[in-house]
Amino acid sequence: MKKFKRHRDYGFFDQDIRLSKLSKLGDPLEKLNAHIDFEIFRDLLETNLSKIAKGKGGRKPYDYVLMFKILILQRYYNVSDDQIEYQINDRMSFMRFLNLTIADDIPDSKTVWSFREQLIDLKLVDELFALFLKELEQLNLIINEGKIIDASFIEVPKQRNSRAENAEIKAGNTPESFNENSNKKSQKDLDARWTKKNNVSYYGYKNHVKVDAKSKLIVKYEVTDASVHDSQTLESLLDENDSDEDFYGDSAYRGQKQQDIISQKEMSDKTCKKGYKNNPLTEQDNAINKEKSRVRSRVEHVFGFMEGSMNGMNLYAIGLKRVEGLIGLMNLTYNMFRKIQIQTI
């Protein structure tokens, strides 16, 4: 049997050597720290979250920017509160990103949950997204030569309800059986909905995004349940700032109502034409659609990054309010990494 040599004792410079190796291998979190100034979020967080101390005693709250960075970590790796606590304790790259050492006190999962709930209750996620968008605009990274709108499913845990309960939920009511048990009710999602696309069923919500066509940065988003048709958010996603730009969308945005909205916003309609049974697309129509799709398909890169690099678009959350907050953080996290990609090309 082969004998292994005993590892030498832990040395003073061993951590630096290991971190240096992580850097050479390409630590994405190191790049995130280098290219994103998280201090721009401090005033917004402290102004809204700071509380007047009530008497002496009590543990000082964790740094708000530190807690916000933990939420960004969560969304990039798509991990639970328990897992983020474990991973911060376990991984050197996480500790370096958060500027923590092995001797520092690390927030537990309940603290992470509580901080995120505060952001959601105060609707600060939208403000954080808008603040970073302003930073991107000041850096001239938003080109404003065209906008793409599309939506992607965000799946959540499926509910185990009876047919009668599902009928009540679909009608916008809370089943009586839920009210009889507060613990049961707290675990029930009354906002998520089922839908089907290409014969595949989905349960949850939709992330509707408006993307800058050139930079592929998300400039606006809206969250709905999964049953809402993509085109129904068109009017709220487009605004006066989009005038004189090209609009790109797939055939879901091709109806007369949608065309009227695009016209009202003074945009040039570049949606793909639809073919019908008795009126198929001509070769010229297909060629034009192909050119439009070259631009429109760029939105797929956004969702592809979320699905691949950000470990999927499934969330373990209940209710539209929480899901909205998590999707907002997801879109913000994507924009941070996209900024890095643009500036390092």
Side-chain angles (χ1 to χ4, degrees):
M1 177 182 259
K2 185 177 179 180
K3 292 184 178 180
F4 292 94
K5 291 183 179 179
R6 179 180 179 275
H7 291 294
R8 61 186 175 85
D9 293 334
Y10 183 81
F12 182 76
F13 296 105
D14 286 0
Q15 178 171 303
D16 288 341
I17 292 170
R18 180 65 60 84
L19 287 172
S20 177
K21 187 171 183 180
L22 287 172
S23 298
K24 289 179 181 178
L25 291 172
D27 178 7
L29 300 181
E30 187 177 31
K31 293 180 181 178
L32 191 60
N33 257 344
H35 291 86
I36 305 297
D37 180 12
F38 283 94
E39 285 299 313
I40 67 171
F41 302 102
R42 183 173 294 282
D43 286 345
L44 176 60
L45 292 169
E46 290 187 346
T47 299
N48 288 276
L49 297 176
S50 295
K51 296 179 180 178
I52 299 173
K54 295 181 180 179
K56 296 181 179 180
R59 189 173 69 176
K60 184 180 178 181
Y62 288 100
D63 180 74
Y64 295 129
V65 175
L66 165 70
M67 296 303 301
F68 174 62
K69 290 176 75 173
I70 289 175
L71 298 189
I72 297 300
L73 266 182
Q74 262 196 305
R75 296 282 50 87
Y76 182 57
Y77 289 97
N78 196 12
V79 294
S80 67
D81 295 335
D82 288 337
Q83 268 297 304
I84 199 66
E85 178 188 354
Y86 176 82
Q87 296 291 352
I88 293 170
N89 278 279
D90 185 61
R91 296 174 69 165
M92 285 186 176
S93 59
F94 279 30
M95 283 192 283
R96 175 167 66 178
F97 173 67
L98 299 171
N99 196 28
L100 294 172
T101 70
I102 199 165
D104 289 318
D105 184 24
I106 293 174
D108 61 22
S109 60
K110 290 182 180 178
T111 303
V112 174
W113 177 88
S114 178
F115 180 78
R116 186 176 60 250
E117 287 291 296
Q118 289 181 69
L119 292 190
I120 292 172
D121 286 340
L122 294 170
K123 299 185 182 301
L124 290 184
V125 174
D126 289 341
E127 293 188 45
L128 291 163
F129 181 89
L131 179 61
F132 190 64
L133 185 63
K134 187 176 180 180
E135 173 85 356
L136 296 172
E137 290 170 341
Q138 290 173 344
L139 292 170
N140 296 317
L141 296 180
I142 308 295
I143 310 303
N144 292 322
E145 292 182 3
K147 295 295 190 299
I148 312 168
I149 288 183
D150 205 353
S152 184
F153 293 112
I154 305 293
E155 295 191 84
V156 298
K158 298 177 179 63
Q159 302 282 293
R160 306 299 179 187
N161 303 323
S162 67
R163 288 187 178 181
E165 288 171 339
N166 281 332
E168 284 285 299
I169 293 170
K170 195 171 183 180
N173 302 320
T174 301
E176 189 60 35
S177 58
F178 293 1
N179 290 323
E180 292 171 356
N181 187 330
S182 59
N183 291 326
K184 180 178 181 179
K185 184 178 179 180
S186 67
Q187 297 300 316
K188 292 297 183 180
D189 195 327
L190 301 177
D191 301 318
R193 294 290 185 271
W194 283 98
T195 195
K196 186 174 283 190
K197 184 176 182 179
N198 299 327
N199 292 319
V200 178
S201 294
Y202 298 90
Y203 179 76
Y205 300 85
K206 274 185 180 178
N207 181 18
H208 304 261
V209 298
K210 179 171 71 174
V211 173
D212 184 66
K214 288 284 187 180
S215 66
K216 294 191 285 190
L217 288 160
I218 299 172
V219 294
K220 199 171 184 179
Y221 66 92
E222 186 171 334
V223 180
T224 68
D225 68 69
S227 68
V228 173
H229 192 270
D230 293 2
S231 63
Q232 287 183 245
T233 62
L234 183 61
E235 189 164 17
S236 58
L237 284 174
L238 296 179
D239 52 53
E240 63 277 2
N241 295 324
D242 301 318
S243 63
D244 298 323
E245 294 187 40
D246 292 333
F247 171 83
Y248 294 92
D250 60 23
S251 57
Y253 303 92
R254 190 64 190 175
Q256 186 60 52
K257 182 180 178 181
Q258 287 72 46
Q259 288 177 298
D260 290 343
I261 292 170
I262 295 166
S263 178
Q264 288 167 10
K265 302 296 182 181
E266 300 180 351
M267 300 185 75
S268 178
D269 189 0
K270 301 291 184 180
T271 53
C272 294
K273 287 186 177 180
K274 280 185 178 181
Y276 298 94
K277 186 176 181 181
N278 297 318
N279 189 20
L281 295 176
T282 65
E283 286 187 13
Q284 184 180 14
D285 289 334
N286 284 322
I288 293 172
N289 275 357
K290 188 174 181 180
E291 283 303 309
K292 292 175 179 176
S293 293
R294 289 181 189 276
V295 178
R296 189 209 65 79
S297 63
R298 291 171 68 84
V299 74
E300 302 300 336
H301 303 168
V302 177
F303 296 135
F305 184 87
M306 291 179 177
E307 187 66 45
S309 298
M310 294 174 64
N311 293 331
M313 292 185 283
N314 56 301
L315 296 175
Y316 292 92
I318 294 172
L320 179 61
K321 182 180 176 181
R322 282 198 181 103
V323 170
E324 266 184 333
L326 291 176
I327 290 176
L329 288 168
M330 180 190 299
N331 291 337
L332 173 54
T333 303
Y334 163 80
N335 272 358
M336 288 181 175
F337 279 94
R338 179 58 189 158
K339 173 184 182 285
I340 296 171
Q341 290 175 339
I342 294 171
Q343 293 185 321
T344 56
I345 290 174

